[in-house]
Amino acid sequence: MTTPIQKPPKKNPQIRTVVPTLPPASRSRRALAFTVAAAEGRFALQKCAMCGHIAYPPREACPKCLSMELPWTDVPTGGQLIAETTVQTSINTYFRERTPWRMGTVLLDAGVTVQCHVHGGVLRNGRVRMIARTDKSGKGVMMALPESEGENMADDKQLRELTCDPKHRRVLITDGRHMSALSLAQHLAGAGASIIFVGLAEDWRKPPKQAALEAIPQVEIVPLDITNTTSVTECAGEIGGKVDILINNCEYVRPGGIMGRRDVITAQDEMAVNYFGLMRLMQAFGPAMRGRGADGANSAVAWVNILSVYALSNLPEFGATSASQAAALSLAQCFRGEMAGSGVKVVNAFCGPLDDAWRQPLPPPKVSPEVLARDVLRCLQQGLENITIGDVAHDVRTRWIEDPRVLEKELTQIEGM
Amino acid sequence: MSRFSTPKRQGYDGVAVAVPVSIPYTRYSHESAHWWLARALGELVRCAGLTPADIDGFTVSSFSLAPDTAVGLTQHLGLTPRWLDHIPMGGASGVVALRRAARAVQAGDASIVACVSGDTNQVDSFRLMLSSFSRFAQDGSYPYGSGGPNSSFALLTDHYMRKFGATRADFGKLAVAQRANALRYPQAMMKKPLTLEQYIDARVISDPIHLFDCVMPCAGAEAFLVMREDIAADLNLPTARILSTIERHNAFADDPIQDRGGWAMDIDEFWTMAGIKPEAVDFLQTYDDYPVISMMQIEDLGFCPKGEAPAFVRANSFEIDGTLPHNTSGGQLSAGQAGAAGGFLGLVEALRQLTGTAGPTQVKDAQTGVVSGFGMINYDRGVCTAAATLARGLT
């Protein structure tokens, strides 16, 4: 059992905020594929296509047969801790501030030995279950967890460095009017978030399910209109220093593409929310979060963009909205670059069609608010950076990874014949 | 193992090893590696009664020489060698330099080879070196706590203790004996006596590694000459000769964790070529950046069977007048680790022993000795291993 972390005390404004230091960030180019898998929570190693040998650390050629074909492959996560140490003295400033730090050698069932972080609940010589996650440098690392789930396991101080667990953290949900708002607030409250700010534009209009939202004790409604710079700036001025997790669920969705519309007014509205609104949020809330990446148990930890999966590849029936989502996705990549080194993860959650009025013509399976909230919470608790929500999103992203050019042909071809 | 048979190796007839040089270490230095290597080369030339033009072979080992290599040093130091080697093998560099230079001399490719090693230690250079030590370390070990060699060897030590029942007191016995030896070696960095109690009670660094299991990084240089026997005789230099050598890299790659080194692959050849048995050896210089590695060498070099080094350590004494004098200048644990010069420390001390120039650390009537090297934790284990048997020279 892991000792539960305590609710952090109110911040003393006279004490300097600890600035984020970082674990080692340099990796070989080959090793970055491990980071890519880790950002999705996959435990992938190189497996020789010729002889099947699993190679680690990352290589250019198989050390058994010198084949150059070493595709990254999900491998079994079981293993045994065969040696361990607790580092008391480290030359790296990040670890120096966090010692003692447990690490060890695990013999994987896949047949290869790895060095990794070790969870406090792992027994000496014990069986372990490996995870791959990105660390505060945004680089993939391995951690050995106890084989079975233990009490308060997520509170392990080394594991919590890899995750974005909402426990004792303060969250901003940007759109209280969105159909996902109530479910998100309920899930976050259940996961131990200490404050859940819910943004509300035009707050003279009542949001749907207002009573249920206000019934959650942690919820605080705040005025926030992301299409209005003054509103965003004022909101950030009020609460920006205590937003540890920001979930942007604002969106503007309309059917149609180019020729079905006679002007660009709807497209401007789409961009006003999906692109410029996002940029306003980033400009107003980003700097404070970037400075608070190591601010104790409730440090700033995650920025979640809920994006349409058609940001990856345009769906002509919602073509103009897809374009604005693509703009948002590109902006998110810029934001990742600017937030790198802060310890705050920028999460892209690619969502399939929600079951709402504007997407009514689209066929099922659709995403319910429940599923969206559950998946976002799981993503935060696990510390992932890229997730899909719903079957359609999973399907589209899988096809996009396989070959984005084929996907483009599929999405733009004429039906029938 | 290769499927092709290995022919019987030639001996090292006609080759002499001479002029052991140790430049006194300092904890930190604002000088460059070039400065330290230059001092060592200058000392070699002066002590041998040579001029730089006489040096026609040159090997260099250094971690902190970047952006230069042995090539840059030739121009920097005004050498015009016809045989040149850069040996980046850390703790194995000394023996590897020795055996390469010996073959060059024997084949006539060079007549006098200066084998030089050294490093500076600026205040942040150890951290910088560790963070870019190797690609595998960068990808696979440094991100996990950045304990450097302390945590790498903590893992090996933890595993060795579990598997073979070694205790901290066993490691401590080696460390305490080395400190006693260091007190007699004028250039050792560690000059305070060390008791077993102090060793046991020392603060933990990365368990089971405690303070006195660790070497102190410092600046310094070590060097020696390899030359034709007739030249050594002309120069009237006391010499040592080489009875046997071995070298191996990335041995036992499928062992999940290292509890044996490459010596074990070649040990039969090593003693056959030397023509003596381990019992006949008058002293042993192991590479001792942590005591567990000395234990591993004691086993893999054939002083006792695998896993029995703890018992061997309990049954022997390792001071200069002990049953097996070991690391007679204090080893790196007590003399200090001057980067790549750590890979020369034992060899240079062995040459002093066999040329009768060891002074306060001289082992009485030392006729033969074994020197072993271990280098480069590329990821999870030392990759390079080497060893040599040396004897008092004919001159």
Side-chain angles (χ1 to χ4, degrees), chain A residues 27-28 64 85-86 125, chain B residues 135 138-139 162 206-207 254:
Chain A
R27 297 288 192 280
S28 66
K64 291 295 170 194
T85 186
T86 301
N125 274 320
Chain B
R135 179 168 143 172
Q138 169 201 305
D139 287 346
R162 294 185 200 199
S206 187
D207 62 295
D254 291 330

Side-chain angles (χ1 to χ4, degrees), chain B residues 6 30 66 74 150 152 159 171 201 265 365 371:
Chain B
T6 311
H30 61 271
T74 61
N150 290 331
S152 298
H159 170 76
F171 299 128
D201 295 342
M265 274 182 84
D365 299 328
V371 182

Side-chain angles (χ1 to χ4, degrees), chain A residues 150-226:
Chain A
E151 214 175 323
N152 304 316
M153 216 175 103
D155 285 2
D156 178 86
K157 108 186 154 157
Q158 293 183 212
L159 180 56
R160 199 167 155 97
E161 286 290 299
L162 303 181
T163 65
C164 306
D165 201 307
K167 185 172 176 181
H168 297 320
R169 284 198 166 101
R170 300 152 296 183
V171 188
L172 169 61
I173 300 166
T174 55
D175 186 4
R177 229 177 280 286
H178 191 271
M179 71 184 293
S180 65
L182 178 61
S183 291
L184 279 169
Q186 285 166 338
H187 276 77
L188 290 162
S194 56
I195 304 178
I196 302 163
F197 300 108
V198 178
L200 207 57
E202 301 169 347
D203 52 359
W204 46 270
R205 278 200 296 140
K206 280 188 155 222
K209 300 177 187 166
Q210 183 179 19
L213 205 52
E214 285 175 348
I216 302 169
Q218 294 90 338
V219 164
E220 277 182 34
I221 307 277
V222 292
L224 176 62
D225 176 358
I226 70 162

Side-chain angles (χ1 to χ4, degrees), chain B residues 113-351:
Chain B
V113 181
C115 300
V116 178
S117 65
D119 270 294
T120 188
N121 187 40
Q122 288 151 2
V123 282
D124 202 26
S125 53
F126 191 65
R127 189 183 68 89
L128 294 174
M129 183 188 75
L130 288 187
S131 59
S132 59
F133 189 75
S134 70
R135 179 168 143 172
F136 279 8
Q138 169 201 305
D139 287 346
S141 61
Y142 194 61
Y144 300 99
S146 304
N150 290 331
S151 54
S152 298
F153 281 91
L155 296 173
L156 300 185
T157 305
D158 181 46
H159 170 76
Y160 185 90
M161 290 171 82
R162 294 185 200 199
K163 186 163 175 180
F164 299 121
T167 64
R168 286 197 59 222
D170 298 331
F171 299 128
K173 184 169 177 182
L174 290 177
V176 166
Q178 288 186 204
R179 180 60 59 88
N181 296 345
L183 297 180
R184 293 165 67 167
Y185 177 56
Q187 299 188 11
M189 296 284 288
M190 305 295 184
K191 282 305 195 185
K192 275 194 242 165
L194 176 69
T195 66
L196 188 60
E197 290 68 37
Q198 287 169 325
Y199 170 91
I200 297 283
D201 295 342
R203 80 182 157 95
V204 59
I205 301 294
S206 187
D207 62 295
I209 296 292
H210 292 60
L211 185 64
F212 296 113
D213 294 308
C214 305
V215 299
M216 181 188 277
C218 55
E222 303 271 345
F224 57 89
L225 292 175
V226 180
M227 66 181 79
R228 290 206 319 264
E229 229 162 41
D230 60 302
I231 297 178
D234 281 354
L235 293 168
N236 208 17
L237 294 172
T239 62
R241 60 202 165 89
I242 306 166
L243 301 184
S244 69
T245 68
I246 51 173
E247 172 180 342
R248 184 64 73 172
H249 306 278
N250 194 33
F252 309 118
D254 291 330
D255 286 0
I257 187 165
Q258 186 167 43
D259 53 38
R260 55 181 172 165
W263 312 281
M265 274 182 84
D266 304 298
I267 193 61
D268 292 342
E269 179 187 289
F270 183 67
W271 290 111
T272 306
M273 190 176 180
I276 57 170
K277 297 239 182 284
E279 301 79 60
V281 166
D282 295 316
F283 63 83
L284 170 65
Q285 315 283 0
T286 63
Y287 188 81
D288 67 321
D289 52 355
Y290 296 83
V292 69
I293 293 304
S294 293
M295 294 262 217
M296 224 178 271
Q297 284 161 88
I298 286 169
E299 293 165 355
D300 295 344
L301 290 168
F303 289 88
C304 68
K306 188 79 231 166
E308 292 181 19
F312 182 87
V313 166
R314 287 166 210 158
N316 279 279
S317 55
F318 302 95
E319 289 80 7
I320 287 163
D321 52 5
T323 55
L324 179 63
H326 172 240
N327 290 352
T328 48
S329 62
Q332 297 179 84
L333 285 174
S334 284
Q337 181 182 59
F344 274 56
L345 179 78
L347 178 49
V348 169
E349 169 66 10
L351 295 174

Side-chain angles (χ1 to χ4, degrees), chain A residues 217-272:
Chain A
Q218 294 90 338
V219 164
E220 277 182 34
I221 307 277
V222 292
L224 176 62
D225 176 358
I226 70 162
T227 64
N228 179 328
T229 304
T230 309
S231 166
V232 175
T233 310
E234 281 178 358
C235 182
E238 287 288 325
I239 65 166
K242 43 188 176 180
V243 172
D244 308 321
I245 296 172
L246 187 149
I247 300 172
N248 182 27
N249 63 339
C250 293
E251 61 167 352
Y252 192 93
V253 191
R254 293 294 180 270
I258 303 163
M259 289 183 282
R261 298 179 180 174
R262 301 209 162 246
D263 54 40
V264 298
I265 293 168
T266 309
Q268 281 173 335
D269 289 343
E270 287 160 347
M271 292 297 279

Side-chain angles (χ1 to χ4, degrees), chain A residues 61-72:
Chain A
C62 172
K64 291 295 170 194
C65 72
L66 294 181
S67 150
M68 306 297 284
E69 302 280 315
L70 289 171
W72 290 83

